[in-house]
Amino acid sequence: MRIDNAALAVVRDHFDRSMYSLLDHRMSLELRPSPTGFPKYEALRRIVARLAPAQRTLFRMFRLGETVDDTAFHGAFPAEVAAALRTGELVVGGPDGWRSADLLVVPAQRMLLITGIPAGYPTAVRRPPKAVFDLSTSFVAAALPASLAGCRVLDVCSGTGVQALLCASRGAREVVGLELNESAVTIARANAVLNGLTDRVRFRRSDLLDALEPGERFDFVVANLPYAPALDPDHRPSTVAEIGNRLLWPLLTELPPHLADAARGIVATWRSAGHAGRTYQLESIAARLAEHGCAVAAYVDPVFDTVDGVLDLLRTEVGTRSDADLLMAELRALLESESVAMDGFYNQLVQFRHTGGRAVPQEAVTFGLS
């Protein structure tokens, strides 16, 4: 994929004139609700088959990830649009016809987002998607403030860039998005062009906060941390709180110097072990942020993961380590220890706010479903 502003403008205009978002919304009324933005493939495919030929080709390529023959491709796209799709490397031609370049275009949060094809679709490639709009993204998007007027915003682990773009659309004067995966950075930049927000949003390739300058400070921070990698390769967890996203702890260490005096933000973590609507990880998060004058509140949501299910996910990550079997046994022992009160796993969106020197409680206020 290549960033070409003129080509992306032509593509966006074609999607708008084809009423792509409206058609997608209409089809969603016949599908089971899907907060991930990706309904069941076969159900969506059946509805797409009812569209007129040009719209059917558009949705087959960019909503389902299917290959279409040459006649269908050139029948659906005017010459200048087909040229723009090729210029931006959004489509790939082959002996069987044309397909998208392992990506979809999804209407979400009143935007058009280029994303990777989710693993659950048969058109997905074997390697993990470059960036995807998923359930975690929708949760974080729903938690963003209604107004960020005048704020300088930092988006960590940007993925498709949707959080950064939403913050800009809610009035932020400047947004910096950080993402490690170079392909995801390209997708996020393309999404900024597609949604007309390049004047206020910049994406940088960065390992956590490495791409920030020492003096850069932000009024609002959003960090949707991926569940994996979940274990530090140089550290063996000794407590349940340490079993979780390993990006969290260095982020909390590196972030405070980049916070403005009245800064606030949201950090999302997933599948944290806990009990009675609280997690062990949250206790550590609240204590660390309190040291820097930040009060914490968290939305905590139980998830239907078992110890075996979480261990299976971790096994995938540590499978190449020479001590994998020993490490997995140690992790199971921690999670099943009689000394640890644990009733399951929780997702949590941790909201923090700098108090400006006022006394800060060491414990987070929590709310959510039980």
Side-chain angles (χ1 to χ4, degrees):
M1 184 178 170
R2 188 164 70 88
I3 303 294
D4 185 297
N5 287 21
L8 286 170
V10 170
V11 170
R12 177 62 196 248
D13 181 65
H14 181 75
F15 273 77
D16 287 345
R17 285 188 291 108
S18 300
M19 295 192 179
Y20 186 77
S21 295
L22 175 59
L23 284 169
D24 187 82
H25 174 69
R26 169 61 186 86
M27 289 189 292
S28 72
L29 300 179
E30 297 185 32
L31 296 164
R32 295 182 63 183
S34 173
T36 68
F38 298 106
K40 294 292 185 182
Y41 176 86
E42 286 300 334
L44 180 57
R45 192 168 188 262
R46 285 193 294 271
I47 300 178
V48 167
R50 292 158 45 193
L51 294 172
Q55 282 80 15
R56 184 164 63 243
T57 296
L58 183 62
F59 274 78
R60 285 185 62 200
M61 293 186 70
F62 291 104
R63 203 64 174 85
L64 294 168
E66 294 181 345
T67 299
V68 302
D69 62 36
D70 193 70
T71 300
F73 178 75
H74 289 289
F77 299 104
E80 68 274 14
V81 179
L85 289 169
R86 292 192 296 266
T87 298
E89 299 176 359
L90 294 169
V91 297
V92 176
D96 297 328
W98 296 85
R99 62 177 176 83
S100 71
D102 299 333
L103 54 85
L104 301 180
V105 178
V106 179
Q109 301 293 322
R110 299 184 179 180
M111 297 184 180
L112 277 186
L113 295 175
I114 297 172
T115 82
I117 301 175
Y121 276 27
T123 51
V125 294
R126 291 177 183 269
R127 60 184 178 276
K130 305 176 183 73
V132 69
F133 183 90
D134 60 10
L135 179 59
S136 72
T137 316
S138 69
F139 263 70
V140 176
L144 292 173
S147 174
L148 288 163
C151 290
R152 190 162 193 256
V153 173
L154 176 65
D155 175 22
V156 184
C157 299
S158 286
T160 61
V162 61
Q163 279 112 210
L165 300 176
L166 283 172
C167 290
S169 72
R170 297 182 187 190
R173 62 182 171 84
E174 182 183 3
V175 185
V176 175
L178 305 180
E179 169 60 47
L180 178 61
N181 185 292
E182 186 65 55
S183 296
V185 172
T186 300
I187 286 175
R189 288 172 177 166
N191 283 330
V193 176
L194 272 185
N195 293 284
L197 291 167
T198 55
D199 60 329
R200 282 175 287 150
V201 183
R202 297 288 183 273
F203 293 100
R204 307 174 189 172
R205 185 177 183 277
S206 182
D207 187 354
L208 272 186
L209 307 187
D210 285 355
L212 295 182
E213 297 295 330
E216 287 190 277
R217 302 176 77 198
F218 299 89
D219 306 296
F220 185 80
V221 177
V222 56
N224 182 11
L225 302 179
Y227 181 64
L231 295 172
D232 190 328
D234 300 319
H235 176 70
R236 304 178 80 87
S238 58
T239 67
V240 172
E242 295 175 61
I243 303 174
N245 192 288
R246 72 174 172 89
L247 303 182
L248 173 64
W249 309 117
L251 173 65
L252 295 182
T253 299
E254 298 170 19
L255 184 60
H258 296 287
L259 296 177
D261 291 340
R264 53 194 171 128
I266 295 171
V267 177
T269 69
W270 312 99
R271 298 185 181 92
S272 300
H275 179 258
R278 300 188 69 87
T279 75
Y280 294 100
Q281 195 179 74
L282 180 58
E283 294 173 4
S284 296
I285 293 171
R288 291 197 185 198
L289 287 174
E291 294 174 2
H292 299 282
C294 293
V296 168
Y299 172 82
V300 183
D301 199 14
V303 292
F304 301 105
D305 284 293
T306 63
V307 169
D308 286 337
V310 169
L311 289 174
D312 284 345
L313 289 169
L314 296 176
R315 165 65 78 172
T316 301
E317 183 179 336
V318 304
T320 58
R321 291 175 54 157
S322 59
D323 62 345
D325 290 340
L326 177 59
L327 178 56
M328 294 308 299
E330 291 175 355
L331 293 176
R332 180 179 290 279
L334 280 174
L335 291 172
E336 295 181 344
S337 170
E338 292 182 359
S339 64
V340 175
M342 194 185 90
D343 58 13
F345 297 89
Y346 296 82
N347 294 334
Q348 54 192 7
L349 275 72
V350 181
Q351 182 184 80
F352 66 86
R353 184 181 295 268
H354 205 285
T355 63
R358 296 192 303 274
V360 176
Q362 296 285 316
E363 188 172 279
V365 175
T366 59
F367 46 90
L369 300 175
S370 59

